[in-house]
Amino acid sequence: MNKRPRDMEGGRPRLRFTGHIAGVGTSGGTRLVLGRWMRSPHGPFADVMVQRPDGHRILLAPDAWVTEFVAATYSFDEILEVPVQVQVPDAGAAAGSRWHVTAGPLTWAFEVGGRMPLGHMLRAVPGPVGRSLTMARITDRVARWAMPGVRTLGSAGNDRLEWYAARDLHRITASTAAWAGEDLGGLADLDPPAEFGFSSTPRQPSLTTLTSTVRLPR
């Protein structure tokens, strides 16, 4: 497994996950959040967080490491350890690309749209600056004002601190999903926001390119 050494910051180890987060709502009231991580301390993997219309929160995780780490970071009512596969075209996060996700009882496909205005701004920020904790403190204030429910800095539980450094943002323009063969309905906003941790994905369905950093206790 492609293990990587932990980074250090001020004497504290930190873990970095680089990839994408996709978030959509459905007309049936289910909210779906995909994390697809190309680089992580655990190598490439993907997981899906599902919140049903009644608020029931489910984690779909591919193995014990992901289950343990994500469940210690966010809150769930149920955890299913199932294969999670994400098929991404060569275009990746480019407009017009179509992603396919299978995770246990969930099948989900969505289409990536054009870059959002904030995405153009994020691409102008140099990588090392954008990934810093100082920048996360600044962008957190902006996110609270511009995108209710979205935070870029907060507690990851167990005396850990997590911050997000977004580098791009695209609309999701189409989505179809089913749970155990039952259609979840068409594309809708994430309303109310998903409630897995300190932050939700944006209300408008979107695909974010980002690095997530988790600073561990000393």
Side-chain angles (χ1 to χ4, degrees):
M1 201 168 290
N2 185 25
K3 299 283 187 181
R4 295 171 184 255
R6 295 172 175 174
D7 292 327
M8 298 293 291
E9 180 198 41
R12 295 191 184 191
R14 60 184 181 181
L15 307 179
R16 277 186 170 160
F17 302 77
T18 298
H20 301 90
I21 291 179
V24 305
T26 70
S27 57
T30 296
R31 283 142 286 165
L32 304 172
V33 178
L34 164 72
R36 175 189 178 244
W37 308 106
M38 291 90 74
R39 294 192 298 276
S40 84
H42 188 55
F45 72 91
D47 64 277
V48 184
M49 304 180 192
V50 180
Q51 187 161 23
R52 302 290 279 173
D54 61 1
H56 190 75
R57 298 162 300 181
I58 306 168
L59 170 65
L60 304 174
D63 57 44
W65 189 96
V66 176
T67 295
E68 181 179 356
F69 183 84
V70 178
T73 306
Y74 305 101
S75 298
F76 302 95
D77 304 297
E78 182 181 354
I79 297 173
L80 300 178
E81 200 166 296
V82 295
V84 180
Q85 299 180 339
V86 184
Q87 295 180 338
V88 181
D90 292 340
S97 62
R98 190 166 179 85
W99 294 37
H100 296 266
V101 182
T102 56
L106 176 69
T107 57
W108 175 21
F110 61 86
E111 187 168 317
V112 181
R115 180 170 290 120
M116 301 172 72
L118 181 57
H120 291 282
M121 297 174 61
L122 293 170
R123 284 167 58 87
V125 179
V129 175
R131 290 192 299 267
S132 69
L133 178 55
T134 298
M135 179 58 73
R137 291 191 172 106
I138 295 171
T139 56
D140 188 57
R141 298 190 186 99
V142 176
R144 292 191 196 202
W145 172 78
M147 296 180 288
V150 176
R151 301 278 306 277
T152 62
L153 173 68
S155 171
N158 301 296
D159 196 28
R160 299 180 301 176
L161 183 69
E162 181 177 19
W163 62 93
Y164 300 123
R167 302 196 314 277
D168 205 351
L169 182 65
H170 283 254
R171 295 179 179 86
I172 290 177
T173 55
S175 173
T176 57
W179 184 268
E182 178 186 353
D183 184 15
L184 297 178
L187 180 66
D189 288 345
L190 279 92
D191 186 21
E195 299 173 318
F196 303 111
F198 67 86
S199 177
S200 174
T201 56
R203 183 176 186 272
Q204 182 177 0
S206 58
L207 175 69
T208 306
T209 304
L210 78 162
T211 295
S212 171
T213 302
V214 177
R215 190 179 68 184
L216 306 178
R218 291 184 187 278

